[in-house]
Amino acid sequence: MKKDKNKNIIIAVSGTGGHIYPGIALAREFQSKGCNPIFFINNNSASLEILNNSGFQYVAFNMVGMPRKFSFSFIVFLAKLKISFLKALKQILYINPAAVIGTGGYLAVPVLFAAKTLGKKIFIHEQNTIPGKANILLNKIADETFVSFSFSTKYFKNKNLVVSGYPVRKDILSVSKNDALKMLSLNDNIFTVLIFGGSLGAVKLNEVTCKALLRFISSKEMQVIHITGAKDFARIQDIVGVRTNYRIFNYMHNIAYAYAACDMVISRSGAGTVFELKALGKTAILIPYPYATDNHQYWNAKEIEEKGKVKVIEEKDFTEKNLLEAVEILKINAKKAAVKNIVKQPQEIIYEEITKCIKS
C-alpha cells in the first residue's frame, strides 16, 4: 500500500449492497485512471463477502448503527464510534489519500470526520431519493455532495451539489443475452423473468411471486430466474420442487448474467436496482420495501415508473392476482428489445468532479 497522495483514494462503505456496489463502481473508475482505491468497510458478513469477491484492498471496522432510543446499546454505539474515529485517523495518516469518499451508512461518519480533521478532501454520494441521516450530517462538512436523483437536492443545506446519477457497474451493461442464457442453461426462445429482493432477500416478495409464476408457467411459455437470498432459499426451493424452467439461486455475485438473460424484472426498488433497470432499459414490476427509512424505496420506484414499462405495486397491494395482471400487461411491451441508455456514466462524472476539486 503506497503512501502516494496522488494515487490512494479511500472509499468508506457500510451496510449491504446498496452502499457497497456504487463504491465498487467508483473504485473501478478510479482504478482505470491509475489510482489505488482502498475500502473502509464494516466487518459484517455481507460487506466482507462482497469486498472479498471484488478483489479490492480494504480495512475493516467494528461499527454499529445508531439505536433510535437511548439504552445500553446507545452507549456501545458511542464507544464504537470513538474507536472507529481513532482507527480511521491512524489509517488515513498512513495511507495519505488524495480524497476520501463516503457512499452513505453509519461507518462514513467517523471516517469522514477523521479525514476532515486531517485536512483531506472529502466527498459523499447519496443513492436514494430521500437521503439518510449520515449523509445529511456529512453534507455540512463535505467538499462536494453527489446525488443520484435531482429530487434529493432539497434535503441538503450545503448547496455544493452535483446530480451525478447512481454509479452502475459497467459489467452490468456488457453481457450479451445469448451468453447469459448459455451460462444459466436456459432456453433462448422463452420469455424470461428475473426475481430478486436485494442482498438480504424478501420473504413476501419471494413467496407471492413464486406461487403466482408457478401458476403462470404451467399454462404459458415462461422461464424464471429467482434469486431468493440465503435465508429463504430452502423454503422457496421446497415450493418450486424440481423444474427445469424455474432456476433458483440464493445469491448471484455476477447479476449481469441474470439481467442480460431476462425480459422482465420483479424486484424491490433500492436505488441500485432502479438505476440498473434504467440503464438496461428493462421492463419491471417494483415492490418497494415498506419499512425502508422515510419510505425511500417507494419514491425511488416512482422516479422511474412508466406506463407500459415499469409498474409499482405497494406491498399492501401485492397479491398473486395483482402481480399476474401486471405481468400480462407488461409482457407485451417486454417482448420488444430493451434499449440500453448510452450516456456518460455517473462514476465518470464523479471522477472528473473530484479530480477538479483536488487540483483546485
Side-chain angles (χ1 to χ4, degrees):
M1 204 181 285
K2 295 181 180 179
K3 297 182 186 180
D4 185 342
K5 67 179 181 179
N6 295 316
K7 297 294 181 182
N8 289 336
I9 301 290
I10 290 173
I11 303 175
V13 300
S14 60
T16 54
H19 292 306
I20 298 171
Y21 284 122
I24 290 174
L26 284 175
R28 297 209 187 285
E29 183 66 25
F30 277 92
Q31 189 178 55
S32 72
K33 301 295 194 298
C35 297
N36 179 39
I38 301 158
F39 281 84
F40 282 14
I41 67 168
N42 199 44
N43 64 354
N44 62 64
S45 58
S47 298
L48 292 171
E49 184 178 1
I50 294 170
L51 258 295
N52 282 324
N53 191 65
S54 76
F56 287 108
Q57 294 174 289
Y58 63 83
V59 177
F61 289 74
N62 184 21
M63 187 62 193
V64 295
M66 185 175 73
R68 295 188 178 184
K69 296 181 180 179
F70 185 80
S71 62
F72 179 73
S73 297
F74 192 82
I75 297 170
V76 172
F77 164 75
L78 291 177
K80 290 190 174 184
L81 183 69
K82 181 178 179 181
I83 292 168
S84 296
F85 175 77
L86 294 173
K87 182 173 181 177
L89 279 174
K90 181 180 177 181
Q91 291 292 330
I92 293 167
L93 278 169
Y94 174 68
I95 295 169
N96 192 24
V100 179
I101 308 165
T103 61
Y106 42 86
L107 180 61
V109 174
V111 172
L112 268 68
F113 269 95
K116 191 71 173 181
T117 301
L118 295 172
K120 300 297 180 182
K121 296 283 188 179
I122 64 172
F123 306 87
I124 58 173
H125 180 270
E126 174 55 53
Q127 293 87 51
N128 293 298
T129 46
I130 301 177
K133 290 181 175 62
N135 273 348
I136 288 176
L137 172 64
L138 291 168
N139 168 255
K140 296 174 183 178
I141 64 168
D143 290 283
E144 208 157 25
T145 295
F146 301 97
V147 296
S148 298
F149 300 94
S150 57
F151 181 89
S152 310
T153 57
K154 64 182 180 182
Y155 292 94
F156 293 110
K157 292 183 179 179
N158 180 349
K159 294 303 180 183
N160 198 12
L161 301 170
V162 175
V163 181
S164 63
Y166 181 104
V168 174
R169 294 164 287 164
K170 290 182 178 179
D171 61 300
I172 292 286
L173 307 172
S174 63
V175 179
S176 74
K177 184 166 186 173
N178 286 339
D179 288 344
L181 290 168
K182 287 178 183 177
M183 197 278 282
L184 295 169
S185 300
L186 294 169
N187 293 311
D188 62 1
N189 60 347
I190 296 179
F191 189 82
T192 305
V193 177
L194 166 63
I195 308 160
F196 66 97
S199 56
L200 297 180
V203 174
K204 184 174 181 180
L205 184 150
N206 282 336
E207 185 170 340
V208 172
T209 307
C210 172
K211 289 180 178 178
L213 294 192
L214 282 175
R215 289 166 52 193
F216 201 101
I217 65 176
S218 66
S219 60
K220 303 192 179 185
E221 283 198 339
M222 178 183 284
Q223 57 193 357
V224 175
I225 306 163
H226 193 156
I227 305 171
T228 63
K231 293 179 181 178
D232 225 13
F233 177 74
R235 188 174 70 91
I236 298 302
Q237 194 168 48
D238 286 342
I239 294 172
V240 173
V242 180
R243 293 174 183 266
T244 57
N245 59 350
Y246 202 116
R247 302 291 312 283
I248 306 172
F249 303 85
N250 64 354
Y251 191 74
M252 190 179 290
H253 278 291
N254 198 345
I255 200 172
Y257 283 91
Y259 273 138
C262 77
D263 301 291
M264 179 187 293
V265 175
I266 302 171
S267 71
R268 292 297 197 195
S269 51
T273 300
V274 164
F275 274 89
E276 286 165 358
L277 294 172
K278 187 176 179 181
L280 291 164
K282 291 290 182 182
T283 297
I285 299 169
L286 299 176
I287 303 91
Y289 178 56
Y291 306 109
T293 304
D294 299 317
N295 203 20
H296 69 253
Q297 284 209 7
Y298 173 80
W299 297 109
N300 290 351
K302 282 295 185 180
E303 283 287 304
I304 66 162
E305 188 172 30
E306 180 183 344
K307 188 175 180 180
K309 183 77 172 180
V310 178
K311 171 73 173 175
V312 179
I313 304 176
E314 293 188 67
E315 187 156 303
K316 62 184 176 63
D317 302 319
F318 186 53
T319 63
E320 291 179 41
K321 179 177 180 292
N322 288 346
L323 175 61
L324 288 173
E325 287 176 355
V327 169
E328 287 278 19
I329 292 168
L330 296 184
K331 191 170 180 282
I332 299 169
N333 288 333
K335 289 179 180 178
K336 300 173 184 177
V339 179
K340 296 179 182 179
N341 295 316
I342 308 301
V343 295
K344 182 178 281 191
Q345 296 296 310
Q347 53 265 44
E348 296 170 351
I349 295 170
I350 293 171
Y351 170 81
E352 290 170 5
E353 287 292 328
I354 289 177
T355 302
K356 283 192 292 185
C357 187
I358 291 170
K359 290 179 179 178
S360 64

